Amino acid sequence: MKIAVITGASSGMGREFVYALDRDEEFDELWVIARREERLLALQEKCRAKVRPIVLDLQKRESFAMYRALLEQEKPEIAVLVNAAGFGLFGAFMDMDMDRQLDIIDLNSRSLTAMCYMSVPYMTSGSRIYNMGSMSSWQPVPYINVYGASKAYVLNFSRALGVELKDRGIRVMAVCPGWITTEFFDHAVHDDTISYFNRYYPPEQVIEKALKDMKKGKNASVLGFPERMQVLLVKHLPVNFVMKTWCRQQGK
């Protein structure tokens, strides 16, 4: 049974990945993972492949055991894994709840790592892993501190994992977009700490670029010429200058 596994499938980038993969490739089943069952069930209306809703809260470690047990029972061939579950918070580190910030790390970094670890044994040559990073992956970001650090982990983990899995023919890529028009902002924004957003991209464009970059064998995908220039610059500019520029843009 050939499947694609998509986390965070109930909204945002995860949901759009479901639609894009179903449109461009043939799967026996799409395993869609999120907490909101009704949204997962609704995906079937727009998909050709059979959708299997898997209601899990990936912030909880017991969810890993449930996913592992399902794999052992079904023994599928995982052709694609998309780790799109994640969230962030905008604000000063000491002004925000500690547990919520730890939740960011749990979902953005720990669960992504676990999903890769459990899924790779069911992958074959030609299988692909898309891990959702961010433009924040490339630099320290004050006032989006923990979120940015969690996405830096995603970028470095994905690149290194790709090297380790190369001989097995499994490709790994970090998808590192700028601002995207998704529900992310409904959860991240709770005051005016972050007020400057230079440009937005629709998730469909981000995914279209990611699918093309995967075929090209890239280990990271960045949509937009200005964003790619920003990545190039932050690699060469002093870190303190990069952070000061960001803070200046936000009026800090």
Side-chain angles (χ1 to χ4, degrees):
M1 177 172 60
K2 178 184 174 183
I3 70 169
V5 180
I6 304 98
T7 72
S10 62
S11 64
M13 291 297 295
R15 182 175 59 195
E16 296 304 326
F17 255 112
V18 172
Y19 296 150
L21 291 172
D22 182 67
R23 181 177 59 249
D24 294 350
E25 196 168 341
E26 298 295 329
F27 297 97
D28 295 308
E29 289 188 0
L30 301 170
W31 288 17
V32 292
I33 300 175
R35 293 176 301 171
R36 294 175 285 189
E37 183 176 17
E38 70 283 356
R39 288 201 175 193
L40 296 179
L41 291 169
L43 293 171
Q44 185 64 79
E45 299 175 4
K46 296 185 178 181
C47 292
R48 298 177 301 148
K50 178 183 177 182
V51 172
R52 181 182 294 215
I54 303 173
V55 181
L56 296 175
D57 183 351
L58 292 177
Q59 291 181 40
K60 299 178 179 178
R61 286 202 177 190
E62 54 264 34
S63 294
F64 305 157
M66 296 171 65
Y67 177 66
R68 189 195 297 269
L70 184 59
L71 289 175
E72 292 174 352
Q73 175 183 324
E74 298 292 339
K75 295 179 172 53
E77 174 196 340
I78 300 178
V80 181
L81 169 65
V82 178
N83 283 304
F87 78 101
L89 296 172
F90 296 169
F93 176 70
M94 293 305 299
D95 291 344
M96 293 187 291
D97 179 72
M98 183 184 75
D99 287 338
R100 287 297 287 156
Q101 295 189 78
L102 293 177
D103 286 344
I104 293 173
I105 299 170
D106 288 344
L107 189 56
N108 294 6
S109 301
R110 188 179 70 178
S111 71
L112 177 145
T113 305
M115 288 297 297
C116 289
Y117 188 89
M118 293 183 290
S119 299
V120 166
Y122 296 88
M123 293 183 161
T124 60
S125 180
S127 293
R128 292 146 283 151
I129 300 174
Y130 296 86
N131 289 330
M132 280 306 304
S134 164
M135 283 296 289
S136 302
S137 300
W138 306 95
Q139 64 189 70
V141 191
Y143 305 103
I144 314 181
N145 187 355
V146 175
Y147 173 80
S150 75
K151 292 302 186 179
Y153 173 90
V154 171
L155 175 62
N156 288 304
F157 169 77
S158 300
R159 283 175 154 175
L161 183 63
V163 171
E164 293 185 27
L165 298 180
K166 183 177 180 180
D167 289 344
R168 299 173 61 170
I170 300 171
R171 290 172 287 169
V172 185
M173 188 177 71
V175 183
C176 300
W179 305 116
I180 318 173
T181 51
T182 68
E183 295 177 18
F184 172 86
F185 292 96
D186 296 340
H187 303 283
V189 179
H190 59 275
D191 58 28
D192 61 353
T193 302
I194 301 299
S195 56
Y196 173 75
F197 305 96
N198 51 352
R199 66 187 62 81
Y200 293 92
Y201 292 97
E204 297 86 353
Q205 287 186 14
V206 176
I207 293 170
E208 181 182 3
K209 171 71 170 167
L211 296 177
K212 290 180 180 177
D213 285 343
M214 178 65 84
K215 291 178 181 177
K216 294 177 182 178
K218 294 187 177 182
N219 59 32
S221 177
V222 180
L223 173 66
F225 179 78
E227 283 70 23
R228 290 193 291 275
M229 290 300 99
Q230 180 179 330
V231 170
L232 181 64
L233 284 172
V234 300
K235 288 180 179 179
H236 296 91
L237 293 172
V239 171
N240 284 341
F241 176 81
V242 171
M243 290 193 292
K244 286 180 180 179
T245 301
W246 161 259
C247 289
R248 192 179 307 115
Q249 290 173 330
Q250 303 303 334
K252 307 298 181 187

